[in-house]
Amino acid sequence: MNTPAVETTLLRCGVEQNLELLAQATRLLPTLTPAAYTEACGAVFKASIGQHLRHAIEHYEAVLRARSLDGVVDYEHRRRDFSVENNPVVALQRLVEISIEISEILEENVPLTVLDHGGGENPSISSLGRELQFLASHTVHHFALIGIIARLTGVTLEPGFGIAPSTLKHRQNA
């Protein structure tokens, strides 16, 4: 079990990392045409930028909903709101809302329970800081896929988009 100081550091780092990732997406969206946002890419699971972004957004919403309601994170039962994957304006609005809520998290490292739908019988005990750490990793993964789709369709990305912060740091120090 982590000490309160470690949990506070985990929470602060998670907030910072996730805010930067969400900012990357908010900078990307205005550069995309609706067709670029919704076009399925056969090379990447026949998915679109919008589908990957919706998936990431709904994971954030699962954690934030648990934080404000009952403390139970259920990543499997998401809204699957197709307006997010089909309309970049809706996605941008949701990203802004999520960013505001995450930026308001300060020392509130509440305990969470994460449901296991992979066949396990026992839920996992977690914390808001740990789930923010997961969200950052999960988001980088989907942003990497978004980056592949974007590059294959001729969309220019900002440097570092879809690359893990630790990888960027390693490259700077190498």
Side-chain angles (χ1 to χ4, degrees), residues 1-15 106-111 125-133:
M1 184 61 99
N2 290 333
T3 66
V6 169
E7 288 293 335
T8 299
T9 301
L10 184 65
L11 184 65
R12 286 186 183 150
C13 290
V15 167
L106 298 172
E107 306 296 323
E108 184 192 333
N109 203 2
V110 297
I125 303 303
S126 190
S127 66
L128 184 55
R130 174 63 190 101
E131 292 312 304
L132 286 173
Q133 190 178 40

mmCIF file with all atom_site columns, all heavy atoms in Angstrom, residues 1-15 106-111 125-133:
data_model
loop_
_atom_site.group_PDB
_atom_site.id
_atom_site.type_symbol
_atom_site.label_atom_id
_atom_site.label_alt_id
_atom_site.label_comp_id
_atom_site.label_asym_id
_atom_site.label_entity_id
_atom_site.label_seq_id
_atom_site.pdbx_PDB_ins_code
_atom_site.Cartn_x
_atom_site.Cartn_y
_atom_site.Cartn_z
_atom_site.occupancy
_atom_site.B_iso_or_equiv
_atom_site.pdbx_formal_charge
_atom_site.auth_seq_id
_atom_site.auth_comp_id
_atom_site.auth_asym_id
_atom_site.auth_atom_id
_atom_site.pdbx_PDB_model_num
ATOM 1   N N   . MET A 1 1   ? 0.844   -1.175 0.000   1.00 0.00 ? 1   MET A N   1
ATOM 2   C CA  . MET A 1 1   ? 0.000   0.000  0.000   1.00 0.00 ? 1   MET A CA  1
ATOM 3   C C   . MET A 1 1   ? 0.893   1.243  0.000   1.00 0.00 ? 1   MET A C   1
ATOM 4   O O   . MET A 1 1   ? 1.871   1.311  0.728   1.00 0.00 ? 1   MET A O   1
ATOM 5   C CB  . MET A 1 1   ? -0.905  -0.027 1.234   1.00 0.00 ? 1   MET A CB  1
ATOM 6   C CG  . MET A 1 1   ? -1.899  1.109  1.283   1.00 0.00 ? 1   MET A CG  1
ATOM 7   S SD  . MET A 1 1   ? -3.052  1.142  -0.089  1.00 0.00 ? 1   MET A SD  1
ATOM 8   C CE  . MET A 1 1   ? -4.460  0.388  0.626   1.00 0.00 ? 1   MET A CE  1
ATOM 9   N N   . ASN A 1 2   ? 0.565   2.205  -0.815  1.00 0.00 ? 2   ASN A N   1
ATOM 10  C CA  . ASN A 1 2   ? 1.353   3.433  -0.907  1.00 0.00 ? 2   ASN A CA  1
ATOM 11  C C   . ASN A 1 2   ? 1.097   4.345  0.281   1.00 0.00 ? 2   ASN A C   1
ATOM 12  O O   . ASN A 1 2   ? 0.008   4.356  0.847   1.00 0.00 ? 2   ASN A O   1
ATOM 13  C CB  . ASN A 1 2   ? 0.990   4.188  -2.187  1.00 0.00 ? 2   ASN A CB  1
ATOM 14  C CG  . ASN A 1 2   ? 1.474   3.477  -3.427  1.00 0.00 ? 2   ASN A CG  1
ATOM 15  O OD1 . ASN A 1 2   ? 2.444   2.753  -3.385  1.00 0.00 ? 2   ASN A OD1 1
ATOM 16  N ND2 . ASN A 1 2   ? 0.786   3.689  -4.526  1.00 0.00 ? 2   ASN A ND2 1
ATOM 17  N N   . THR A 1 3   ? 2.093   5.140  0.610   1.00 0.00 ? 3   THR A N   1
ATOM 18  C CA  . THR A 1 3   ? 1.939   6.130  1.663   1.00 0.00 ? 3   THR A CA  1
ATOM 19  C C   . THR A 1 3   ? 1.104   7.291  1.121   1.00 0.00 ? 3   THR A C   1
ATOM 20  O O   . THR A 1 3   ? 0.983   7.471  -0.096  1.00 0.00 ? 3   THR A O   1
ATOM 21  C CB  . THR A 1 3   ? 3.308   6.675  2.109   1.00 0.00 ? 3   THR A CB  1
ATOM 22  O OG1 . THR A 1 3   ? 3.887   7.401  1.018   1.00 0.00 ? 3   THR A OG1 1
ATOM 23  C CG2 . THR A 1 3   ? 4.231   5.553  2.564   1.00 0.00 ? 3   THR A CG2 1
ATOM 24  N N   . PRO A 1 4   ? 0.542   8.118  1.996   1.00 0.00 ? 4   PRO A N   1
ATOM 25  C CA  . PRO A 1 4   ? -0.220  9.277  1.527   1.00 0.00 ? 4   PRO A CA  1
ATOM 26  C C   . PRO A 1 4   ? 0.612   10.214 0.637   1.00 0.00 ? 4   PRO A C   1
ATOM 27  O O   . PRO A 1 4   ? 0.099   10.762 -0.338  1.00 0.00 ? 4   PRO A O   1
ATOM 28  C CB  . PRO A 1 4   ? -0.644  9.978  2.821   1.00 0.00 ? 4   PRO A CB  1
ATOM 29  C CG  . PRO A 1 4   ? -0.712  8.868  3.829   1.00 0.00 ? 4   PRO A CG  1
ATOM 30  C CD  . PRO A 1 4   ? 0.409   7.927  3.454   1.00 0.00 ? 4   PRO A CD  1
ATOM 31  N N   . ALA A 1 5   ? 1.906   10.358 0.923   1.00 0.00 ? 5   ALA A N   1
ATOM 32  C CA  . ALA A 1 5   ? 2.759   11.226 0.096   1.00 0.00 ? 5   ALA A CA  1
ATOM 33  C C   . ALA A 1 5   ? 2.918   10.654 -1.306  1.00 0.00 ? 5   ALA A C   1
ATOM 34  O O   . ALA A 1 5   ? 2.881   11.392 -2.300  1.00 0.00 ? 5   ALA A O   1
ATOM 35  C CB  . ALA A 1 5   ? 4.124   11.409 0.750   1.00 0.00 ? 5   ALA A CB  1
ATOM 36  N N   . VAL A 1 6   ? 3.082   9.337  -1.408  1.00 0.00 ? 6   VAL A N   1
ATOM 37  C CA  . VAL A 1 6   ? 3.206   8.690  -2.715  1.00 0.00 ? 6   VAL A CA  1
ATOM 38  C C   . VAL A 1 6   ? 1.895   8.825  -3.479  1.00 0.00 ? 6   VAL A C   1
ATOM 39  O O   . VAL A 1 6   ? 1.885   9.119  -4.673  1.00 0.00 ? 6   VAL A O   1
ATOM 40  C CB  . VAL A 1 6   ? 3.613   7.208  -2.555  1.00 0.00 ? 6   VAL A CB  1
ATOM 41  C CG1 . VAL A 1 6   ? 3.491   6.459  -3.874  1.00 0.00 ? 6   VAL A CG1 1
ATOM 42  C CG2 . VAL A 1 6   ? 5.030   7.107  -2.008  1.00 0.00 ? 6   VAL A CG2 1
ATOM 43  N N   . GLU A 1 7   ? 0.782   8.625  -2.790  1.00 0.00 ? 7   GLU A N   1
ATOM 44  C CA  . GLU A 1 7   ? -0.530  8.753  -3.439  1.00 0.00 ? 7   GLU A CA  1
ATOM 45  C C   . GLU A 1 7   ? -0.753  10.179 -3.946  1.00 0.00 ? 7   GLU A C   1
ATOM 46  O O   . GLU A 1 7   ? -1.277  10.374 -5.043  1.00 0.00 ? 7   GLU A O   1
ATOM 47  C CB  . GLU A 1 7   ? -1.658  8.358  -2.477  1.00 0.00 ? 7   GLU A CB  1
ATOM 48  C CG  . GLU A 1 7   ? -1.732  6.877  -2.213  1.00 0.00 ? 7   GLU A CG  1
ATOM 49  C CD  . GLU A 1 7   ? -2.141  6.052  -3.420  1.00 0.00 ? 7   GLU A CD  1
ATOM 50  O OE1 . GLU A 1 7   ? -2.819  6.570  -4.330  1.00 0.00 ? 7   GLU A OE1 1
ATOM 51  O OE2 . GLU A 1 7   ? -1.784  4.867  -3.458  1.00 0.00 ? 7   GLU A OE2 1
ATOM 52  N N   . THR A 1 8   ? -0.332  11.176 -3.179  1.00 0.00 ? 8   THR A N   1
ATOM 53  C CA  . THR A 1 8   ? -0.484  12.567 -3.607  1.00 0.00 ? 8   THR A CA  1
ATOM 54  C C   . THR A 1 8   ? 0.363   12.844 -4.836  1.00 0.00 ? 8   THR A C   1
ATOM 55  O O   . THR A 1 8   ? -0.087  13.490 -5.787  1.00 0.00 ? 8   THR A O   1
ATOM 56  C CB  . THR A 1 8   ? -0.098  13.528 -2.455  1.00 0.00 ? 8   THR A CB  1
ATOM 57  O OG1 . THR A 1 8   ? -0.990  13.281 -1.358  1.00 0.00 ? 8   THR A OG1 1
ATOM 58  C CG2 . THR A 1 8   ? -0.198  14.977 -2.880  1.00 0.00 ? 8   THR A CG2 1
ATOM 59  N N   . THR A 1 9   ? 1.591   12.338 -4.855  1.00 0.00 ? 9   THR A N   1
ATOM 60  C CA  . THR A 1 9   ? 2.468   12.504 -6.015  1.00 0.00 ? 9   THR A CA  1
ATOM 61  C C   . THR A 1 9   ? 1.884   11.802 -7.234  1.00 0.00 ? 9   THR A C   1
ATOM 62  O O   . THR A 1 9   ? 1.866   12.359 -8.332  1.00 0.00 ? 9   THR A O   1
ATOM 63  C CB  . THR A 1 9   ? 3.875   11.956 -5.708  1.00 0.00 ? 9   THR A CB  1
ATOM 64  O OG1 . THR A 1 9   ? 4.403   12.668 -4.590  1.00 0.00 ? 9   THR A OG1 1
ATOM 65  C CG2 . THR A 1 9   ? 4.804   12.104 -6.900  1.00 0.00 ? 9   THR A CG2 1
ATOM 66  N N   . LEU A 1 10  ? 1.388   10.592 -7.044  1.00 0.00 ? 10  LEU A N   1
ATOM 67  C CA  . LEU A 1 10  ? 0.759   9.833  -8.119  1.00 0.00 ? 10  LEU A CA  1
ATOM 68  C C   . LEU A 1 10  ? -0.419  10.606 -8.697  1.00 0.00 ? 10  LEU A C   1
ATOM 69  O O   . LEU A 1 10  ? -0.583  10.707 -9.912  1.00 0.00 ? 10  LEU A O   1
ATOM 70  C CB  . LEU A 1 10  ? 0.309   8.466  -7.587  1.00 0.00 ? 10  LEU A CB  1
ATOM 71  C CG  . LEU A 1 10  ? -0.297  7.481  -8.557  1.00 0.00 ? 10  LEU A CG  1
ATOM 72  C CD1 . LEU A 1 10  ? 0.728   7.044  -9.599  1.00 0.00 ? 10  LEU A CD1 1
ATOM 73  C CD2 . LEU A 1 10  ? -0.818  6.259  -7.801  1.00 0.00 ? 10  LEU A CD2 1
ATOM 74  N N   . LEU A 1 11  ? -1.223  11.174 -7.822  1.00 0.00 ? 11  LEU A N   1
ATOM 75  C CA  . LEU A 1 11  ? -2.389  11.941 -8.254  1.00 0.00 ? 11  LEU A CA  1
ATOM 76  C C   . LEU A 1 11  ? -1.976  13.179 -9.038  1.00 0.00 ? 11  LEU A C   1
ATOM 77  O O   . LEU A 1 11  ? -2.483  13.428 -10.137 1.00 0.00 ? 11  LEU A O   1
ATOM 78  C CB  . LEU A 1 11  ? -3.233  12.339 -7.037  1.00 0.00 ? 11  LEU A CB  1
ATOM 79  C CG  . LEU A 1 11  ? -4.529  13.070 -7.328  1.00 0.00 ? 11  LEU A CG  1
ATOM 80  C CD1 . LEU A 1 11  ? -5.501  12.178 -8.081  1.00 0.00 ? 11  LEU A CD1 1
ATOM 81  C CD2 . LEU A 1 11  ? -5.157  13.552 -6.034  1.00 0.00 ? 11  LEU A CD2 1
ATOM 82  N N   . ARG A 1 12  ? -1.032  13.940 -8.518  1.00 0.00 ? 12  ARG A N   1
ATOM 83  C CA  . ARG A 1 12  ? -0.588  15.161 -9.203  1.00 0.00 ? 12  ARG A CA  1
ATOM 84  C C   . ARG A 1 12  ? 0.021   14.852 -10.564 1.00 0.00 ? 12  ARG A C   1
ATOM 85  O O   . ARG A 1 12  ? -0.263  15.528 -11.551 1.00 0.00 ? 12  ARG A O   1
ATOM 86  C CB  . ARG A 1 12  ? 0.415   15.916 -8.340  1.00 0.00 ? 12  ARG A CB  1
ATOM 87  C CG  . ARG A 1 12  ? -0.230  16.622 -7.179  1.00 0.00 ? 12  ARG A CG  1
ATOM 88  C CD  . ARG A 1 12  ? 0.766   17.478 -6.427  1.00 0.00 ? 12  ARG A CD  1
ATOM 89  N NE  . ARG A 1 12  ? 0.113   18.074 -5.280  1.00 0.00 ? 12  ARG A NE  1
ATOM 90  C CZ  . ARG A 1 12  ? 0.728   18.373 -4.158  1.00 0.00 ? 12  ARG A CZ  1
ATOM 91  N NH1 . ARG A 1 12  ? 2.026   18.141 -4.032  1.00 0.00 ? 12  ARG A NH1 1
ATOM 92  N NH2 . ARG A 1 12  ? 0.066   18.917 -3.164  1.00 0.00 ? 12  ARG A NH2 1
ATOM 93  N N   . CYS A 1 13  ? 0.864   13.830 -10.626 1.00 0.00 ? 13  CYS A N   1
ATOM 94  C CA  . CYS A 1 13  ? 1.466   13.449 -11.908 1.00 0.00 ? 13  CYS A CA  1
ATOM 95  C C   . CYS A 1 13  ? 0.395   12.979 -12.882 1.00 0.00 ? 13  CYS A C   1
ATOM 96  O O   . CYS A 1 13  ? 0.445   13.304 -14.072 1.00 0.00 ? 13  CYS A O   1
ATOM 97  C CB  . CYS A 1 13  ? 2.507   12.354 -11.707 1.00 0.00 ? 13  CYS A CB  1
ATOM 98  S SG  . CYS A 1 13  ? 3.993   12.916 -10.876 1.00 0.00 ? 13  CYS A SG  1
ATOM 99  N N   . GLY A 1 14  ? -0.568  12.213 -12.387 1.00 0.00 ? 14  GLY A N   1
ATOM 100 C CA  . GLY A 1 14  ? -1.658  11.745 -13.237 1.00 0.00 ? 14  GLY A CA  1
ATOM 101 C C   . GLY A 1 14  ? -2.479  12.883 -13.792 1.00 0.00 ? 14  GLY A C   1
ATOM 102 O O   . GLY A 1 14  ? -2.849  12.879 -14.971 1.00 0.00 ? 14  GLY A O   1
ATOM 103 N N   . VAL A 1 15  ? -2.750  13.874 -12.962 1.00 0.00 ? 15  VAL A N   1
ATOM 104 C CA  . VAL A 1 15  ? -3.502  15.043 -13.424 1.00 0.00 ? 15  VAL A CA  1
ATOM 105 C C   . VAL A 1 15  ? -2.716  15.752 -14.519 1.00 0.00 ? 15  VAL A C   1
ATOM 106 O O   . VAL A 1 15  ? -3.249  16.049 -15.596 1.00 0.00 ? 15  VAL A O   1
ATOM 107 C CB  . VAL A 1 15  ? -3.822  15.997 -12.247 1.00 0.00 ? 15  VAL A CB  1
ATOM 108 C CG1 . VAL A 1 15  ? -4.313  17.347 -12.745 1.00 0.00 ? 15  VAL A CG1 1
ATOM 109 C CG2 . VAL A 1 15  ? -4.863  15.366 -11.320 1.00 0.00 ? 15  VAL A CG2 1
ATOM 110 N N   . LEU A 1 106 ? -7.438  17.924 -6.848  1.00 0.00 ? 106 LEU A N   1
ATOM 111 C CA  . LEU A 1 106 ? -6.222  18.370 -6.173  1.00 0.00 ? 106 LEU A CA  1
ATOM 112 C C   . LEU A 1 106 ? -5.691  17.264 -5.276  1.00 0.00 ? 106 LEU A C   1
ATOM 113 O O   . LEU A 1 106 ? -4.924  16.427 -5.704  1.00 0.00 ? 106 LEU A O   1
ATOM 114 C CB  . LEU A 1 106 ? -6.497  19.662 -5.397  1.00 0.00 ? 106 LEU A CB  1
ATOM 115 C CG  . LEU A 1 106 ? -6.938  20.852 -6.271  1.00 0.00 ? 106 LEU A CG  1
ATOM 116 C CD1 . LEU A 1 106 ? -7.380  22.015 -5.418  1.00 0.00 ? 106 LEU A CD1 1
ATOM 117 C CD2 . LEU A 1 106 ? -5.819  21.261 -7.195  1.00 0.00 ? 106 LEU A CD2 1
ATOM 118 N N   . GLU A 1 107 ? -6.102  17.261 -4.049  1.00 0.00 ? 107 GLU A N   1
ATOM 119 C CA  . GLU A 1 107 ? -5.598  16.268 -3.093  1.00 0.00 ? 107 GLU A CA  1
ATOM 120 C C   . GLU A 1 107 ? -6.625  15.166 -2.854  1.00 0.00 ? 107 GLU A C   1
ATOM 121 O O   . GLU A 1 107 ? -6.544  14.443 -1.881  1.00 0.00 ? 107 GLU A O   1
ATOM 122 C CB  . GLU A 1 107 ? -5.277  16.960 -1.751  1.00 0.00 ? 107 GLU A CB  1
ATOM 123 C CG  . GLU A 1 107 ? -4.345  18.130 -1.859  1.00 0.00 ? 107 GLU A CG  1
ATOM 124 C CD  . GLU A 1 107 ? -2.958  17.744 -2.345  1.00 0.00 ? 107 GLU A CD  1
ATOM 125 O OE1 . GLU A 1 107 ? -2.481  16.662 -1.965  1.00 0.00 ? 107 GLU A OE1 1
ATOM 126 O OE2 . GLU A 1 107 ? -2.371  18.516 -3.106  1.00 0.00 ? 107 GLU A OE2 1
ATOM 127 N N   . GLU A 1 108 ? -7.560  15.026 -3.752  1.00 0.00 ? 108 GLU A N   1
ATOM 128 C CA  . GLU A 1 108 ? -8.706  14.158 -3.542  1.00 0.00 ? 108 GLU A CA  1
ATOM 129 C C   . GLU A 1 108 ? -8.473  12.762 -4.117  1.00 0.00 ? 108 GLU A C   1
ATOM 130 O O   . GLU A 1 108 ? -9.116  12.334 -5.061  1.00 0.00 ? 108 GLU A O   1
ATOM 131 C CB  . GLU A 1 108 ? -9.915  14.813 -4.230  1.00 0.00 ? 108 GLU A CB  1
ATOM 132 C CG  . GLU A 1 108 ? -11.199 14.110 -4.054  1.00 0.00 ? 108 GLU A CG  1
ATOM 133 C CD  . GLU A 1 108 ? -12.247 14.655 -4.997  1.00 0.00 ? 108 GLU A CD  1
ATOM 134 O OE1 . GLU A 1 108 ? -12.182 15.811 -5.393  1.00 0.00 ? 108 GLU A OE1 1
ATOM 135 O OE2 . GLU A 1 108 ? -13.142 13.876 -5.330  1.00 0.00 ? 108 GLU A OE2 1
ATOM 136 N N   . ASN A 1 109 ? -7.547  12.036 -3.555  1.00 0.00 ? 109 ASN A N   1
ATOM 137 C CA  . ASN A 1 109 ? -7.223  10.713 -4.080  1.00 0.00 ? 109 ASN A CA  1
ATOM 138 C C   . ASN A 1 109 ? -8.162  9.679  -3.475  1.00 0.00 ? 109 ASN A C   1
ATOM 139 O O   . ASN A 1 109 ? -7.791  8.906  -2.609  1.00 0.00 ? 109 ASN A O   1
ATOM 140 C CB  . ASN A 1 109 ? -5.766  10.362 -3.810  1.00 0.00 ? 109 ASN A CB  1
ATOM 141 C CG  . ASN A 1 109 ? -5.276  9.313  -4.782  1.00 0.00 ? 109 ASN A CG  1
ATOM 142 O OD1 . ASN A 1 109 ? -6.001  8.888  -5.661  1.00 0.00 ? 109 ASN A OD1 1
ATOM 143 N ND2 . ASN A 1 109 ? -4.054  8.905  -4.610  1.00 0.00 ? 109 ASN A ND2 1
ATOM 144 N N   . VAL A 1 110 ? -9.402  9.683  -3.946  1.00 0.00 ? 110 VAL A N   1
ATOM 145 C CA  . VAL A 1 110 ? -10.431 8.818  -3.391  1.00 0.00 ? 110 VAL A CA  1
ATOM 146 C C   . VAL A 1 110 ? -10.191 7.358  -3.770  1.00 0.00 ? 110 VAL A C   1
ATOM 147 O O   . VAL A 1 110 ? -9.670  7.063  -4.837  1.00 0.00 ? 110 VAL A O   1
ATOM 148 C CB  . VAL A 1 110 ? -11.836 9.264  -3.863  1.00 0.00 ? 110 VAL A CB  1
ATOM 149 C CG1 . VAL A 1 110 ? -12.153 10.646 -3.373  1.00 0.00 ? 110 VAL A CG1 1
ATOM 150 C CG2 . VAL A 1 110 ? -11.961 9.192  -5.369  1.00 0.00 ? 110 VAL A CG2 1
ATOM 151 N N   . PRO A 1 111 ? -10.582 6.445  -2.886  1.00 0.00 ? 111 PRO A N   1
ATOM 152 C CA  . PRO A 1 111 ? -10.473 5.028  -3.223  1.00 0.00 ? 111 PRO A CA  1
ATOM 153 C C   . PRO A 1 111 ? -11.524 4.674  -4.285  1.00 0.00 ? 111 PRO A C   1
ATOM 154 O O   . PRO A 1 111 ? -12.629 5.215  -4.288  1.00 0.00 ? 111 PRO A O   1
ATOM 155 C CB  . PRO A 1 111 ? -10.747 4.316  -1.899  1.00 0.00 ? 111 PRO A CB  1
ATOM 156 C CG  . PRO A 1 111 ? -11.498 5.294  -1.074  1.00 0.00 ? 111 PRO A CG  1
ATOM 157 C CD  . PRO A 1 111 ? -11.076 6.661  -1.532  1.00 0.00 ? 111 PRO A CD  1
ATOM 158 N N   . ILE A 1 125 ? -9.181  -3.193 -6.069  1.00 0.00 ? 125 ILE A N   1
ATOM 159 C CA  . ILE A 1 125 ? -9.160  -1.984 -5.258  1.00 0.00 ? 125 ILE A CA  1
ATOM 160 C C   . ILE A 1 125 ? -8.147  -1.045 -5.892  1.00 0.00 ? 125 ILE A C   1
ATOM 161 O O   . ILE A 1 125 ? -7.035  -1.453 -6.229  1.00 0.00 ? 125 ILE A O   1
ATOM 162 C CB  . ILE A 1 125 ? -8.767  -2.287 -3.793  1.00 0.00 ? 125 ILE A CB  1
ATOM 163 C CG1 . ILE A 1 125 ? -9.732  -3.323 -3.192  1.00 0.00 ? 125 ILE A CG1 1
ATOM 164 C CG2 . ILE A 1 125 ? -8.717  -1.017 -2.970  1.00 0.00 ? 125 ILE A CG2 1
ATOM 165 C CD1 . ILE A 1 125 ? -11.196 -2.917 -3.232  1.00 0.00 ? 125 ILE A CD1 1
ATOM 166 N N   . SER A 1 126 ? -8.518  0.199  -6.079  1.00 0.00 ? 126 SER A N   1
ATOM 167 C CA  . SER A 1 126 ? -7.643  1.148  -6.737  1.00 0.00 ? 126 SER A CA  1
ATOM 168 C C   . SER A 1 126 ? -7.810  2.513  -6.084  1.00 0.00 ? 126 SER A C   1
ATOM 169 O O   . SER A 1 126 ? -8.386  2.632  -5.007  1.00 0.00 ? 126 SER A O   1
ATOM 170 C CB  . SER A 1 126 ? -8.004  1.207  -8.240  1.00 0.00 ? 126 SER A CB  1
ATOM 171 O OG  . SER A 1 126 ? -7.035  1.946  -8.952  1.00 0.00 ? 126 SER A OG  1
ATOM 172 N N   . SER A 1 127 ? -7.274  3.518  -6.755  1.00 0.00 ? 127 SER A N   1
ATOM 173 C CA  . SER A 1 127 ? -7.409  4.891  -6.279  1.00 0.00 ? 127 SER A CA  1
ATOM 174 C C   . SER A 1 127 ? -7.524  5.787  -7.503  1.00 0.00 ? 127 SER A C   1
ATOM 175 O O   . SER A 1 127 ? -7.222  5.381  -8.627  1.00 0.00 ? 127 SER A O   1
ATOM 176 C CB  . SER A 1 127 ? -6.181  5.300  -5.451  1.00 0.00 ? 127 SER A CB  1
ATOM 177 O OG  . SER A 1 127 ? -5.033  5.345  -6.285  1.00 0.00 ? 127 SER A OG  1
ATOM 178 N N   . LEU A 1 128 ? -7.944  6.996  -7.283  1.00 0.00 ? 128 LEU A N   1
ATOM 179 C CA  . LEU A 1 128 ? -8.065  7.943  -8.378  1.00 0.00 ? 128 LEU A CA  1
ATOM 180 C C   . LEU A 1 128 ? -6.703  8.172  -9.032  1.00 0.00 ? 128 LEU A C   1
ATOM 181 O O   . LEU A 1 128 ? -6.586  8.201  -10.258 1.00 0.00 ? 128 LEU A O   1
ATOM 182 C CB  . LEU A 1 128 ? -8.655  9.262  -7.880  1.00 0.00 ? 128 LEU A CB  1
ATOM 183 C CG  . LEU A 1 128 ? -8.935  10.325 -8.920  1.00 0.00 ? 128 LEU A CG  1
ATOM 184 C CD1 . LEU A 1 128 ? -9.835  9.806  -10.028 1.00 0.00 ? 128 LEU A CD1 1
ATOM 185 C CD2 . LEU A 1 128 ? -9.563  11.542 -8.255  1.00 0.00 ? 128 LEU A CD2 1
ATOM 186 N N   . GLY A 1 129 ? -5.655  8.284  -8.230  1.00 0.00 ? 129 GLY A N   1
ATOM 187 C CA  . GLY A 1 129 ? -4.314  8.468  -8.778  1.00 0.00 ? 129 GLY A CA  1
ATOM 188 C C   . GLY A 1 129 ? -3.890  7.304  -9.656  1.00 0.00 ? 129 GLY A C   1
ATOM 189 O O   . GLY A 1 129 ? -3.329  7.500  -10.739 1.00 0.00 ? 129 GLY A O   1
ATOM 190 N N   . ARG A 1 130 ? -4.155  6.096  -9.223  1.00 0.00 ? 130 ARG A N   1
ATOM 191 C CA  . ARG A 1 130 ? -3.791  4.910  -10.008 1.00 0.00 ? 130 ARG A CA  1
ATOM 192 C C   . ARG A 1 130 ? -4.593  4.847  -11.299 1.00 0.00 ? 130 ARG A C   1
ATOM 193 O O   . ARG A 1 130 ? -4.063  4.505  -12.357 1.00 0.00 ? 130 ARG A O   1
ATOM 194 C CB  . ARG A 1 130 ? -4.011  3.640  -9.173  1.00 0.00 ? 130 ARG A CB  1
ATOM 195 C CG  . ARG A 1 130 ? -3.799  2.354  -9.952  1.00 0.00 ? 130 ARG A CG  1
ATOM 196 C CD  . ARG A 1 130 ? -2.350  2.216  -10.449 1.00 0.00 ? 130 ARG A CD  1
ATOM 197 N NE  . ARG A 1 130 ? -2.227  1.115  -11.376 1.00 0.00 ? 130 ARG A NE  1
ATOM 198 C CZ  . ARG A 1 130 ? -2.181  1.221  -12.716 1.00 0.00 ? 130 ARG A CZ  1
ATOM 199 N NH1 . ARG A 1 130 ? -2.253  2.396  -13.292 1.00 0.00 ? 130 ARG A NH1 1
ATOM 200 N NH2 . ARG A 1 130 ? -2.066  0.167  -13.482 1.00 0.00 ? 130 ARG A NH2 1
ATOM 201 N N   . GLU A 1 131 ? -5.865  5.181  -11.245 1.00 0.00 ? 131 GLU A N   1
ATOM 202 C CA  . GLU A 1 131 ? -6.685  5.142  -12.460 1.00 0.00 ? 131 GLU A CA  1
ATOM 203 C C   . GLU A 1 131 ? -6.292  6.258  -13.424 1.00 0.00 ? 131 GLU A C   1
ATOM 204 O O   . GLU A 1 131 ? -6.358  6.082  -14.637 1.00 0.00 ? 131 GLU A O   1
ATOM 205 C CB  . GLU A 1 131 ? -8.172  5.174  -12.123 1.00 0.00 ? 131 GLU A CB  1
ATOM 206 C CG  . GLU A 1 131 ? -8.654  3.907  -11.428 1.00 0.00 ? 131 GLU A CG  1
ATOM 207 C CD  . GLU A 1 131 ? -8.216  2.616  -12.113 1.00 0.00 ? 131 GLU A CD  1
ATOM 208 O OE1 . GLU A 1 131 ? -8.508  2.438  -13.314 1.00 0.00 ? 131 GLU A OE1 1
ATOM 209 O OE2 . GLU A 1 131 ? -7.565  1.772  -11.452 1.00 0.00 ? 131 GLU A OE2 1
ATOM 210 N N   . LEU A 1 132 ? -5.838  7.398  -12.908 1.00 0.00 ? 132 LEU A N   1
ATOM 211 C CA  . LEU A 1 132 ? -5.314  8.444  -13.796 1.00 0.00 ? 132 LEU A CA  1
ATOM 212 C C   . LEU A 1 132 ? -4.046  7.959  -14.482 1.00 0.00 ? 132 LEU A C   1
ATOM 213 O O   . LEU A 1 132 ? -3.813  8.249  -15.658 1.00 0.00 ? 132 LEU A O   1
ATOM 214 C CB  . LEU A 1 132 ? -5.056  9.739  -13.027 1.00 0.00 ? 132 LEU A CB  1
ATOM 215 C CG  . LEU A 1 132 ? -6.290  10.538 -12.631 1.00 0.00 ? 132 LEU A CG  1
ATOM 216 C CD1 . LEU A 1 132 ? -5.898  11.699 -11.726 1.00 0.00 ? 132 LEU A CD1 1
ATOM 217 C CD2 . LEU A 1 132 ? -7.060  11.027 -13.848 1.00 0.00 ? 132 LEU A CD2 1
ATOM 218 N N   . GLN A 1 133 ? -3.242  7.193  -13.764 1.00 0.00 ? 133 GLN A N   1
ATOM 219 C CA  . GLN A 1 133 ? -2.038  6.603  -14.350 1.00 0.00 ? 133 GLN A CA  1
ATOM 220 C C   . GLN A 1 133 ? -2.441  5.645  -15.481 1.00 0.00 ? 133 GLN A C   1
ATOM 221 O O   . GLN A 1 133 ? -1.853  5.663  -16.565 1.00 0.00 ? 133 GLN A O   1
ATOM 222 C CB  . GLN A 1 133 ? -1.264  5.874  -13.254 1.00 0.00 ? 133 GLN A CB  1
ATOM 223 C CG  . GLN A 1 133 ? 0.102   5.406  -13.635 1.00 0.00 ? 133 GLN A CG  1
ATOM 224 C CD  . GLN A 1 133 ? 0.784   4.732  -12.451 1.00 0.00 ? 133 GLN A CD  1
ATOM 225 O OE1 . GLN A 1 133 ? 0.155   3.983  -11.690 1.00 0.00 ? 133 GLN A OE1 1
ATOM 226 N NE2 . GLN A 1 133 ? 2.074   4.991  -12.285 1.00 0.00 ? 133 GLN A NE2 1
#
